[in-house]
Amino acid sequence: MAFTLEDLPIRDDLRGQSPYGAPQKHVRVQLNVNENTHPVPDDVADDIVASIRQALATVNRYPDREFTELRESLAGYLGHGLTAEQLWAANGSNEVLQQLLQAFGGPGRSVLGFPPTYSMHSILASGTGTTWIPAERDDEFRIAPETVVAAIEQHRPDIVFLCGPNNPTGTPLPIETIEAAYAATDGIVMVDEAYAEFMPADVPSALTLLPGRERLVVSRTMSKAFAFAGARVGYMAAHPAVIDAVRLVRLPYHLSVLTQAAAVAALRHAPEMLAMVDDIKEQRDRMVTELQAMGYRTYETWSNFVLFGGVADPHAAFESLLERDVIVRDLGIPNHLRVSAGTEEETTAFLDAMRQVAAEQPPVRVGA
């Protein structure tokens, strides 16, 4: 009999678990993992490459473990009066959240979340020995202030994870809900703002709540709006004391000199990098309109993707789209699929394919 993972002396709480990951299939239109499908502009890419080439001259030495220049660049990009001492970065926002859980979670401690939400939140909790407590959302996948307060009072978690806009639903997270959550707990409140750049311009970010709230953490990423998913750069803004706590658990020199150079160069071109955001939002809204016209139910989305319901058989629809060289995400939410907003050409390809799927498999009614 073949030796398998189950034959190893692995931790009991990891037995039977599956690693995170969407299907990786090479198709023409890849709209399944919320990437920014627009390429980095040529002049920006040239500057990034030049910066990396310069950094290679010192690659024989360890990088700046405090990545000072990158933190200063991130503070300048975010604004809101933030300083470098309030910024922290790592290899994707996943590592940022893992470090946060290592510092404030762990055995005997708990983190409250509101599924459906980013699935890595519960996986990171499990990996750090932190008890994951799922709480229910309101209708339309929303979370009202009274809902978050009731969940906190019931479970008394050490950490609260909120996701706004929410992944995988795109749902807005009211600023009042964040305020209410912070006031209801003595623990850490983390707001995952991976898709913040896709929010309406007049909507305040959780960053505006940081002054006077020493236990509030706002997580961001360069993967989405900055088209930097392959570079793996995530970051958080918080009180300097929270940053000091994360220093206790970070691995030494966890951000390579090449990563730091690439990120600093990209941030130098922030306006140009973000110019594609409006186009992505336009394609997102186009998908909402046209999916509704096909008979599918969509939800308000402030992200770069659309969750749509009314899919009679999500797995069959997923496979049918795949046969047409289009991949979306089957999240396991009954009668729902999620699609990322791509370029105009990619969006057209998806919508054309989806009309064919709808003809084969007419939309069904889902909750009011």
Side-chain angles (χ1 to χ4, degrees):
M1 185 178 295
F3 191 87
T4 69
L5 173 64
E6 294 303 314
D7 297 309
L8 289 170
I10 193 172
R11 280 169 29 193
D12 289 340
D13 61 324
L14 294 181
R15 290 191 182 278
Q17 300 292 325
S18 299
Y20 171 85
Q24 290 188 312
K25 298 182 183 293
H26 297 290
V27 298
R28 184 172 63 88
V29 181
Q30 299 181 37
L31 301 176
N32 62 327
V33 288
N34 302 344
E35 295 162 321
N36 183 336
T37 65
H38 294 64
V40 174
D42 288 343
D43 61 326
V44 181
D46 289 343
D47 192 17
I48 292 172
V49 170
S51 297
I52 291 174
R53 186 180 295 113
Q54 184 176 357
L56 280 169
T58 63
V59 79
N60 58 310
R61 302 288 188 180
Y62 286 118
D64 173 10
R65 65 172 176 265
E66 298 298 327
F67 44 96
T68 307
E69 185 179 7
L70 175 55
R71 290 165 73 188
E72 290 172 346
S73 296
L74 288 168
Y77 166 67
L78 290 179
H80 295 287
L82 292 167
T83 63
E85 291 72 27
Q86 293 173 273
L87 270 297
W88 188 254
N91 293 281
S93 58
N94 293 326
E95 187 178 40
V96 169
L97 300 183
Q98 182 181 57
Q99 292 171 344
L100 196 69
L101 285 166
Q102 287 175 312
F104 296 101
R109 296 194 174 194
S110 62
V111 55
L112 176 72
F114 292 81
T117 192
Y118 182 36
S119 58
M120 275 305 298
H121 289 173
S122 59
I123 293 172
L124 290 168
S126 176
T128 57
T130 311
T131 299
W132 170 256
I133 302 173
E136 291 190 5
R137 290 176 171 266
D138 301 318
D139 292 341
E140 301 279 327
F141 302 112
R142 297 178 181 275
I143 308 174
E146 53 268 29
T147 299
V148 76
V149 170
I152 290 171
E153 290 179 346
Q154 178 182 353
H155 299 290
R156 309 311 305 175
D158 298 283
I159 307 169
V160 178
F161 272 9
L162 298 170
C163 194
N166 186 51
N167 177 17
T169 64
T171 316
L173 178 68
I175 199 96
E176 295 82 8
T177 296
I178 303 169
E179 291 176 304
Y182 189 90
T185 180
D186 293 329
I188 296 292
V189 175
M190 189 286 301
V191 182
D192 187 338
E193 284 195 341
Y195 301 92
E197 285 89 352
F198 301 97
M199 293 165 55
D202 59 347
V203 172
S205 159
L207 293 170
T208 62
L209 299 179
L210 284 171
R213 293 180 175 87
E214 294 81 4
R215 295 174 286 103
L216 179 63
V217 177
V218 182
S219 170
R220 292 278 190 102
T221 182
M222 293 184 70
S223 293
K224 312 302 180 183
F226 271 82
F228 234 49
R232 310 308 303 132
V233 182
Y235 56 100
M236 71 177 185
H239 189 277
V242 174
I243 307 303
D244 286 342
V246 169
R247 277 198 184 89
L248 300 176
V249 298
R250 62 98 180 266
L251 294 174
Y253 311 108
H254 68 289
L255 277 179
S256 79
V257 66
L258 305 182
T259 299
Q260 293 182 41
V264 169
L267 287 163
R268 278 200 296 269
H269 297 271
E272 190 172 352
M273 295 288 275
L274 293 176
M276 63 190 87
V277 167
D278 286 342
D279 181 58
I280 294 169
K281 289 164 69 173
E282 181 179 341
Q283 298 308 317
R284 175 199 67 194
D285 295 343
R286 176 188 169 202
M287 288 196 299
V288 167
T289 299
E290 298 199 28
L291 283 167
Q292 287 176 349
M294 293 179 213
Y296 294 103
R297 181 184 181 190
T298 63
Y299 301 85
E300 184 178 10
T301 174
W302 285 2
S303 59
N304 69 337
F305 56 83
V306 178
L307 179 75
F308 60 101
V311 185
D313 185 338
H315 178 70
F318 174 89
E319 292 295 336
S320 186
L321 287 168
L322 202 58
E323 291 172 2
R324 293 171 169 85
D325 228 15
V326 176
I327 187 169
V328 297
R329 190 73 178 268
D330 181 359
L331 299 153
I333 301 175
N335 301 119
H336 288 73
L337 289 172
R338 189 192 70 193
V339 58
S340 308
T343 62
E344 181 178 4
E345 179 183 7
E346 290 169 328
T347 301
T348 297
F350 160 72
L351 290 169
D352 288 346
M354 201 63 216
R355 288 187 190 93
Q356 296 173 39
V357 171
E360 300 170 352
Q361 187 190 122
V364 298
R365 181 175 175 79
V366 293

